Amino acid sequence: MTLDLAGDPVALTAALVDFESVSGAEGPLTDEVFAALQSLKNYELTRDGDTIVARTNLDRKHRVVLAGHLDTVPIADNVPSRREGDLLYGCGTSDMKSGDAVLLHLAATVEDPAHDLTLVLYDNEEVEASKNGLGRVSRNHPDWLAADFAVLLEPTDGTVEGGCQGTLRAKITTHGKRAHSARSWHGVNAIHAAGAILDRLNGYEARQVDIDGCRYREGLNAVAINGGVAGNVIPDRCDVTVNFRFAPDRSEAQAEAHVREVFEGYDLEITDSAPGALPGLSAPAAANFVNKLDAPVQAKLGWTDVARFATLGIPAVNFGPGDPNLAHQAGEYVDTRKITAAVQALRRYLQAN
Amino acid sequence: MTLDLAGDPVALTAALVDFESVSGAEGPLTDEVFAALQSLKNYELTRDGDTIVARTNLDRKHRVVLAGHLDTVPIADNVPSRREGDLLYGCGTSDMKSGDAVLLHLAATVEDPAHDLTLVLYDNEEVEASKNGLGRVSRNHPDWLAADFAVLLEPTDGTVEGGCQGTLRAKITTHGKRAHSARSWHGVNAIHAAGAILDRLNGYEARQVDIDGCRYREGLNAVAINGGVAGNVIPDRCDVTVNFRFAPDRSEAQAEAHVREVFEGYDLEITDSAPGALPGLSAPAAANFVNKLDAPVQAKLGWTDVARFATLGIPAVNFGPGDPNLAHQAGEYVDTRKITAAVQALRRYLQAN
């Protein structure tokens, strides 16, 4: 098969969905996309593993990244794709082959772009972060990603989502002393001691903050609690795992300091964390994007790969035709009108004035 | 081998220890004890599985049960027994072959007892309650156990322990609503909700009560807590298991009502319970025992088989030469002087006036 990038972007979406590319097995689709991009003039192609980076060199004032991952979650008896009226069903229709199709179609049809473009089509987004193709390229070849602005075509249902919140997990442990429960006063109950940790969580007032016109809402929550030795033993240990979702005006270090302050006096271990990303919408290239698109702007509360661009100092947003609420579901679909609308909106932005 | 019941009770203890009888494999020792008891005059023997019941029929005014279990916890490289000075080491030395030896020695040497005697030597005390030989006989042949008073020769270090506390376990569950932890306000955190349960436990004031001169101290404790779905999910369920140890002036039903009152408003399930046993030391036969022994009297805070006698309406106490703190330990031993002292004390009680 040959991918027809310049044709109907809905048909291109269906073709990409029908070409299975579960994380770790996206190589054949990557080969296919690489071959299709080779037919375009203006683009210089490089590849790292199953990630493609294609760049124009037109000496424009600004350079913009358009990025999408090529992999999907495992197929759930939902490939090949199936069209019902305006809806296209299938694995990856929303997350995010419709976004990839928009990106590839624009690369093939915007002949005189206003900005130099860097296309990134990457592998292993749907699995552990250590395998992420965008992360690998940003470590191995940060120069390939150098740009003034980045658009990640993740599903946002046609809105612009600026930045993303950070996430941090910590395990807080209470310690006690074992004793037979018939003589409990000889022991110290570590589960009872965890009550004060839950009290602090219940009394915690999560901050809301506006940054570049986006409202971020933080949250501090217990996501696990475990304690107990046996039915007749006063437990000597209880572990509470909390997850802090923090607005991108805090660094990872500041988020950790905040959590340590909330649980001051407790044995606390950070188990994992990832930084947020400032929306950066006040940067000229980003402000220009928002103006040209004339789409609603909101904060991204979950964590996404835009944080990887933020780490490189590049303002980045999510903007894509898929519906984030349908991602990873067997009944996943995309409204094909959103694909057409995304192409039109991005074309306004990319077309030279 | 033949057990020498009438000889040195310390040597008899050693002989019983050297004859391994881990729970479920006590049959050969039961056979041996049965044969030894057959040589005694005055005793009528019956057997149910590996439990022996031997009764005198001397038309005394009162009948007294002397009971001990023949099984032990698994051997921990501590058989055969080993003598060091006054200490006899080995599996079961304290729990409770020294008690069995005292019982058997008295049966063989008190020729004209003040009370009719019922000896009970039973199986499977160290495993799940459903296998307990004393429980089996109390269900199958309650008439075999009919008596005015019962002495269980469990290790008490030479004190008289009256009655025992009851125990009840309940699982209290909080319910919430799952949501992604990045948007926690869409959910309801069931772990946070468990904070109020721990607050009630922390604020609980355990009762102390004197019954028949014994002080009982109750306790209400969390023994397990579990909640959590995944590191990025607001949990919709948290389970707290509590253990209530209650004085024997409360019935099981009253104990349950109390726990339900403490946790009113919560989803609560009783997972298991066992009644306490009143010391019954004001009953004439029991008061006589305490007088004759002239030993310190205290409450038994753990649960023991004396509760099975209480269920049959028979006042019962624990009194034995072993040390309860050494039970189930690889380094288990008994102070042989306690064996001699227990024989002397019980002989005073059993000898006709």
Side-chain angles (χ1 to χ4, degrees), chain A residues 21-26 71-73 124-127:
Chain A
S21 58
V22 175
S23 309
E26 56 277 85
D71 62 319
T72 69
V73 295
N124 283 301
E125 192 272 346
E126 298 290 8
V127 289

Side-chain angles (χ1 to χ4, degrees), chain B residues 320-345:
Chain B
D323 182 339
N325 296 320
L326 301 173
H328 305 187
Q329 296 191 11
E332 181 178 354
Y333 63 84
V334 66
D335 184 331
T336 57
R337 293 168 294 192
K338 300 270 181 168
I339 298 174
T340 314
V343 167
Q344 287 171 350

Side-chain angles (χ1 to χ4, degrees), chain A residues 169 180-182 184-185 189 191-192 195 198-199 202 217 221-228 231-232 234-235 243 245 301, chain B residues 169 180-182 184-185 189 191-192 195 198-199 202 217 221-228 231-235 243 245 301:
Chain A
R169 280 184 199 83
H180 195 289
S181 63
S184 53
W185 49 94
N189 194 316
I191 294 177
H192 293 197
L198 300 185
D199 288 345
N202 278 311
R217 189 167 172 177
N221 269 276
V223 290
I225 188 167
N226 289 292
N232 60 353
I234 301 303
N243 182 206
R245 297 286 175 151
L301 301 174
Chain B
R169 279 181 201 87
H180 195 290
S181 63
S184 53
W185 50 92
N189 195 317
I191 294 176
H192 293 197
L198 300 184
D199 288 345
N202 279 311
R217 188 167 171 178
N221 270 276
V223 290
I225 188 166
N226 288 291
N232 60 354
V233 176
I234 301 303
N243 183 205
R245 298 287 176 149
L301 300 175

Side-chain angles (χ1 to χ4, degrees), chain A residues 1-352:
Chain A
M1 75 174 268
T2 305
L3 293 168
D4 176 11
L5 305 188
D8 173 17
V10 174
L12 178 57
T13 300
L16 291 171
V17 170
D18 294 348
F19 204 120
E20 291 186 17
S21 58
V22 175
S23 309
E26 56 277 85
L29 177 59
T30 308
D31 295 343
E32 205 67 37
V33 171
F34 195 89
L37 287 170
Q38 278 181 314
S39 69
L40 303 183
K41 60 176 187 173
N42 288 344
Y43 285 88
E44 178 194 346
L45 272 65
T46 52
R47 183 167 170 165
D48 179 309
D50 287 329
T51 293
I52 302 165
V53 177
R55 295 160 51 95
T56 63
N57 291 294
L58 304 168
D59 287 325
R60 298 292 191 266
K61 188 176 168 198
H62 293 128
R63 174 174 291 280
V64 172
V65 171
L66 300 177
H69 60 83
L70 288 172
D71 62 319
T72 69
V73 295
I75 308 299
D77 200 20
N78 52 0
V79 164
S81 62
R82 168 172 66 81
R83 182 80 180 259
E84 282 188 24
D86 285 323
L87 308 184
L88 179 69
Y89 286 83
C91 182
T93 45
S94 262
D95 185 14
M96 59 173 283
K97 288 181 170 175
S98 53
D100 295 330
V102 167
L103 181 169
L104 292 168
H105 178 74
L106 289 166
T109 58
V110 177
E111 297 204 348
D112 184 28
H115 318 290
D116 265 311
L117 297 179
T118 301
L119 314 180
V120 182
L121 292 138
Y122 61 102
D123 58 292
N124 283 301
E125 192 272 346
E126 298 290 8
V127 289
E128 54 268 43
S130 62
K131 292 188 174 173
N132 187 295
L134 185 62
R136 189 178 64 246
V137 169
S138 71
R139 287 190 301 274
N140 296 350
H141 313 284
D143 52 308
W144 292 5
L145 301 178
D148 301 286
F149 184 57
V151 180
L152 203 56
L153 284 100
E154 284 276 7
T156 66
D157 210 19
T159 67
V160 176
E161 293 186 335
C164 76
Q165 293 207 122
T167 177
L168 175 150
R169 280 184 199 83
K171 189 168 73 177
I172 308 161
T173 301
T174 57
H175 300 278
K177 188 181 156 210
R178 286 191 198 189
H180 195 289
S181 63
R183 289 171 292 276
S184 53
W185 49 94
H186 290 163
V188 177
N189 194 316
I191 294 177
H192 293 197
I197 293 172
L198 300 185
D199 288 345
R200 292 193 192 184
L201 286 166
N202 278 311
Y204 184 78
E205 296 201 9
R207 194 176 61 121
Q208 298 192 29
V209 59
D210 290 311
I211 306 171
D212 278 353
C214 294
R215 164 145 288 209
Y216 291 87
R217 189 167 172 177
E218 297 187 329
L220 178 62
N221 269 276
V223 290
I225 188 167
N226 289 292
V229 176
N232 60 353
V233 176
I234 301 303
D236 58 350
R237 181 186 175 117
C238 185
D239 294 311
V240 182
T241 300
V242 299
N243 182 206
F244 182 40
R245 297 286 175 151
F246 56 96
D249 59 340
R250 298 194 204 255
S251 68
E252 277 178 282
Q254 287 168 333
E256 175 177 340
H258 178 68
V259 169
R260 288 194 182 278
E261 189 185 339
V262 170
F263 298 107
E264 198 182 342
Y266 287 95
D267 173 7
L268 185 151
E269 178 197 353
I270 304 294
T271 54
D272 71 280
S273 76
L278 285 165
L281 298 180
S282 52
N288 178 38
F289 177 82
V290 171
N291 278 342
K292 285 283 178 5
L293 251 68
D294 194 25
V297 177
Q298 63 183 31
K300 184 73 180 180
L301 301 174
W303 193 91
T304 83
D305 274 335
V306 299
R308 301 188 192 277
F309 289 104
T311 302
L312 297 172
I314 305 169
V317 297
N318 292 291
F319 172 76
D323 182 339
N325 296 319
L326 300 173
H328 305 188
Q329 297 192 8
E332 180 178 356
Y333 64 82
V334 67
D335 185 331
T336 57
R337 292 167 297 192
K338 300 269 181 167
I339 297 175
T340 314
V343 167
Q344 286 171 351
L346 284 171
R347 189 184 299 282
R348 277 199 303 277
Y349 167 64
L350 295 174
Q351 205 84 42

